[in-house]
Amino acid sequence: MADGGTGGSVGVSSDRVESFSDAVFAIAITLLVLDIRQPARSGPLWDAILRQWPSFVAYALSFLLIGVVWVNHHAVFHFIARVDLALIWLNLLLLLDVAFMPYPTVLLADALVSGRDEVTAAVCYGATLVVGGVLFEAVWLHVSRRRRLLRADVAPEVVRAMGRRFLGGPLFCALITPLAFVQVGLTLAGYLILLTYFGVTAVREGRTGGS
């Protein structure tokens, strides 16, 4: 939907940028399951599967978190009228973080299974989420600044609400990640709260933002 060369835009449509982004999200979310290994057999298969519960938890958490980022990314591009070069690069940096998510997911799962270095793994996981949240906020700030890349029919209150919400993501992650030094479970519970909030609010913004 972007025009090709006026007002600082580039010859790439917003649809193409979003389609490329969707492909990266799909690959990243698929790679997560490849890191769930076959259970080591030292007894009944069911017992071996149950001992892998941290891998399943880490997989589900990362799958849902990437999914929530994708939903919110779609919401942002729903409001975009055109793209420029800066937006393309900011979006690529965000996708860099998304594609990296399988790595801290494996670290977290292995640490929970072994019972060693759980704090370090949780901090690495949280740091990845913080960086991703900062990059997502940067995308929105660039898009909404002076409304230069937004559709004309996007309500000002929607712009303000989304800006506050996207800023809250990395701030919340930065606050709950250090809880791993007290109890890793507290940090994981915080991530569940985060993804629930962003999942629900993304749907609500989509309904109020217009079609």
Side-chain angles (χ1 to χ4, degrees):
M1 293 187 298
D3 44 64
T6 61
S9 63
V10 296
V12 179
S13 71
S14 60
D15 288 341
R16 186 177 181 189
V17 174
E18 188 173 11
S19 296
F20 175 79
S21 302
D22 286 347
V24 175
F25 280 110
I27 292 171
I29 214 167
T30 302
L31 288 176
L32 293 172
V33 76
L34 299 181
D35 291 312
I36 300 181
R37 305 176 183 89
Q38 294 293 324
R41 296 289 299 273
S42 58
L45 178 59
W46 184 246
D47 291 342
I49 293 174
L50 289 178
R51 286 195 296 271
Q52 285 188 293
W53 70 264
S55 295
F56 300 132
V57 170
Y59 164 75
L61 179 63
S62 292
F63 187 99
L64 293 173
L65 283 170
I66 292 176
V68 164
V69 176
W70 173 74
V71 170
N72 282 275
H73 187 272
H74 175 70
V76 168
F77 272 79
H78 175 71
F79 296 132
I80 288 178
R82 61 185 180 85
V83 300
D84 61 8
L85 188 60
L87 174 58
I88 290 174
W89 279 106
L90 286 172
N91 189 66
L92 283 173
L93 290 175
L94 173 61
L95 296 177
L96 176 71
D97 184 85
V98 170
F100 184 72
M101 274 300 294
Y103 177 71
T105 301
V106 173
L107 290 183
L108 182 62
D110 288 349
L112 292 174
V113 169
S114 66
R116 298 191 302 269
D117 299 317
E118 293 170 301
V119 173
T120 302
V123 170
C124 289
Y125 191 92
T128 304
L129 295 181
V130 170
V131 171
V134 169
L135 290 171
F136 204 109
E137 172 68 6
V139 167
W140 179 248
L141 286 177
H142 180 74
V143 167
S144 61
R145 185 183 178 188
R146 295 195 297 272
R147 302 178 61 91
R148 56 186 175 184
L149 302 182
L150 289 176
R151 285 169 22 197
D153 61 341
V154 181
E157 57 269 23
V158 172
V159 175
R160 290 191 295 269
M162 292 182 72
R164 290 192 299 267
R165 186 159 58 85
F166 294 151
L167 179 60
L171 290 178
F172 185 73
C173 283
L175 289 174
I176 63 176
T177 297
L179 292 178
F181 291 96
V182 179
Q183 173 56 251
V184 171
L186 293 175
T187 299
L188 297 181
Y191 296 150
L192 287 174
I193 294 172
L194 181 73
L195 71 88
T196 301
Y197 170 75
F198 274 92
V200 171
T201 54
V203 172
R204 188 169 59 209
E205 293 292 354
R207 289 174 178 171
T208 59
S211 57

